[in-house]
Amino acid sequence: RVNVIQANVGDDYEIDGAVMTILGPSGEYNDLNNMSVAVRFSYQNIAFLSTADMEKKAELDLLEYGENLRANVFLASHHGSKTSNTEEFLDQVGAEYYVIQCGYQNEYGHPHAEALKRFEERHGEILRSDILGNIVFETDGEGLTVHTQKEG
């Protein structure tokens, strides 16, 4: 008995003074990863971006459509896959933190070395759940505090 709401690109949802904006998918794709919902969550001067499992094509489409991708925290696309997290996309995001959700020694090899290199080249802090466990951010809208389950 849950009320399901269809999320459409451009929809905004206000939650206690913060705004969640649906950014994508920006097209129709055969690959279900590219049909992932991209969300930007902002509170005052702080923003978080998640593109779920989007790969290169969907990321580049978000760029083409001129979406506001700037974020302090970016949840790495597709668990840090080499088929996602393109240079052009990461340059537009400009994150301070890159969060990679992946299991320890997972069968897919996530995160891939190529993606890690692209994150490192952008000088943001890389936080990995396979190393740090749970990763939690707190913000007052001006600054960010990060808490991890384990020391990294």
Side-chain angles (χ1 to χ4, degrees):
R1 297 183 185 177
V2 174
N3 185 22
V4 176
I5 300 170
Q6 175 85 24
N8 295 302
V9 173
D11 286 353
D12 287 326
Y13 301 91
E14 187 173 335
I15 305 166
D16 292 333
V19 177
M20 182 178 74
T21 304
I22 308 299
L23 303 177
S26 296
E28 293 293 324
Y29 305 97
N30 292 329
D31 183 337
L32 285 179
N33 286 338
N34 285 328
M35 290 300 293
S36 295
V37 175
V39 175
R40 184 172 185 270
F41 188 81
S42 60
Y43 179 64
Q44 296 177 18
N45 295 321
I46 302 295
F48 299 81
L49 178 67
S50 172
T51 55
D53 283 344
M54 283 187 170
E55 296 189 352
K56 180 178 181 176
K57 173 68 174 135
E59 288 179 351
L60 295 178
D61 285 347
L62 285 175
L63 289 174
E64 182 180 323
Y65 290 108
E67 299 291 355
N68 180 2
L69 302 172
R70 286 278 175 213
N72 304 85
V73 179
F74 175 55
L75 181 58
S77 297
H78 203 170
H79 315 284
S81 171
K82 64 184 174 187
T83 60
S84 304
N85 308 293
T86 62
E87 290 179 351
E88 303 93 334
F89 189 79
L90 295 176
D91 286 343
Q92 188 64 37
V93 173
E96 299 168 48
Y97 296 95
Y98 297 96
V99 177
I100 304 170
Q101 291 182 311
C102 58
Y104 181 70
Q105 295 182 345
N106 64 83
E107 65 184 279
Y108 303 102
H110 294 145
H112 292 143
E114 300 91 333
L116 286 171
K117 182 175 185 267
R118 291 191 291 265
F119 298 138
E120 289 166 359
E121 290 170 345
R122 277 142 193 90
H123 308 290
E125 187 172 345
I126 300 168
L127 304 170
R128 296 173 47 171
S129 64
D130 60 331
I131 296 170
L132 299 172
N134 294 326
I135 301 165
V136 177
F137 287 89
E138 289 182 27
T139 184
D140 60 1
E142 297 299 323
L144 278 168
T145 304
V146 62
H147 305 278
T148 60
Q149 182 179 9
K150 302 174 189 172
E151 292 295 320

